[in-house]
Amino acid sequence: FLYKRMQRSGYLRRDVQRLVNNDRNVFSACMLRFDDADGMVTGVTRHFMNTLSDVRIVLDEAPGARLMGMSIAIARGRTLVIADTNVTEFPDSAALADIAEGAAKAARKLGLNPRVAFTSYSTFGNPPGVRTETVKHAVQLLDARAADFEYEGEMAVDIALNPDHREVYPFSRLSDAANVLVMPAVPSASISTRLLKAAGGATVIEGLLVGLERSVQIARLGSNVSDLVNLAGMASFDLTHRE
């Protein structure tokens, strides 16, 4: 299987065999691919994108899914799903719409009724900016797709999380505070989630990987035992929506 997959990328059979024998991520991904394991937790001693590249040698995206990073923040009785936190650094409108759909499906698997906010420094056109147009178009794409969950944007995050925001913006399509935040780019997502964890007193499960054909979670460098236990639970739960 793996040799056929890689032979057009310049790999000889012995190169592929050496890769499987010597790289734990490739070996483990092969175990998942052939149903010798149900989930995988890796990382800790390697950078996220290097680890993901190893895994992607073997595994593809799940049919109809977008590969993305996701974090779950729990604070003051509120659960927030935040995406994309790792994979697509500067998503275009189509990618943002895909991320919203994937995050909403993952939120449903967590027992939430998804209310998605496309976050921005702007709220409904004020102040205007080039990046806000990308977010607005993502909302229009979901309209065209007839998405089956609540969504709205572009919105500043404090507006999105305010349950009374409809008093100021009565045209908002969200029935309550957002519980799924689609970030405009990975840098803002990463900064937000780490700030929540470091200064906001929230419990944050970071860097969940959603959208692969098998369940893989990649821990951040220096993750502690609690982080690994949480990721193992998520690997067994598998947040990717599969029909």
Side-chain angles (χ1 to χ4, degrees):
F1 158 78
L2 195 56
Y3 173 59
K4 288 182 179 179
R5 185 182 178 94
M6 300 181 69
Q7 60 188 352
R8 292 186 179 275
S9 298
Y11 283 79
L12 299 175
R13 183 180 293 274
R14 63 174 177 268
D15 297 326
V16 175
Q17 187 64 60
R18 187 181 301 114
L19 189 63
V20 174
N21 290 345
N22 295 334
D23 191 292
R24 63 180 183 269
N25 289 322
V26 175
F27 181 85
S28 299
C30 286
M31 290 183 67
L32 294 182
R33 177 64 178 76
F34 293 103
D35 296 323
D36 292 317
D38 298 315
M40 172 180 170
V41 178
T42 185
V44 184
T45 60
R46 296 187 188 182
H47 289 290
F48 181 95
M49 293 308 299
N50 292 340
T51 304
L52 180 59
S53 295
D54 292 342
V55 172
R56 290 300 304 275
I57 290 172
V58 181
L59 300 176
D60 294 320
E61 293 181 0
R66 167 173 282 275
L67 184 64
M68 66 180 185
M70 195 178 83
S71 293
I72 301 171
I74 304 168
R76 299 178 182 177
R78 174 185 290 183
T79 300
L80 294 175
V81 172
I82 304 169
D84 176 1
T85 57
N86 294 97
V87 179
T88 306
E89 186 172 6
F90 293 102
D92 59 17
S93 297
L96 285 173
D98 291 343
I99 290 165
E101 290 181 325
K105 290 171 181 176
R108 280 191 173 131
K109 292 198 74 171
L110 290 169
L112 300 175
N113 180 26
R115 295 183 296 275
V116 177
F118 288 88
T119 62
S120 173
Y121 63 89
S122 172
T123 300
F124 301 122
N126 186 26
V130 175
R131 191 61 187 169
T132 62
E133 292 302 315
T134 302
V135 178
K136 286 181 180 179
H137 189 215
V139 174
Q140 294 167 2
L141 288 175
L142 287 185
D143 290 342
R145 297 178 187 180
D148 62 348
F149 53 88
E150 293 183 27
Y151 57 92
E152 187 58 284
E154 79 285 11
M155 305 174 74
V157 70
D158 56 331
I159 301 298
L161 296 179
N162 183 357
D164 299 322
H165 73 275
R166 287 171 59 89
E167 294 179 7
V168 182
Y169 302 100
F171 52 84
S172 172
R173 292 183 285 189
L174 296 183
S175 61
D176 205 339
N179 54 18
V180 178
L181 303 179
V182 175
M183 295 294 185
V186 164
S188 55
S190 179
I191 291 167
S192 299
T193 52
R194 293 189 182 201
L195 182 61
L196 276 172
K197 187 173 184 178
T203 298
V204 180
I205 304 174
E206 296 183 81
L208 300 172
L209 193 61
V210 178
L212 280 179
E213 60 179 328
R214 298 290 192 275
S215 184
V216 177
Q217 297 302 336
I218 301 174
R220 292 188 182 277
L221 280 171
S223 293
N224 58 33
V225 173
S226 178
D227 294 330
L228 295 177
V229 170
N230 287 335
L231 289 177
M234 288 300 172
S236 63
F237 186 62
D238 187 9
L239 290 170
T240 297
H241 181 75
R242 309 180 200 277
E243 299 297 341

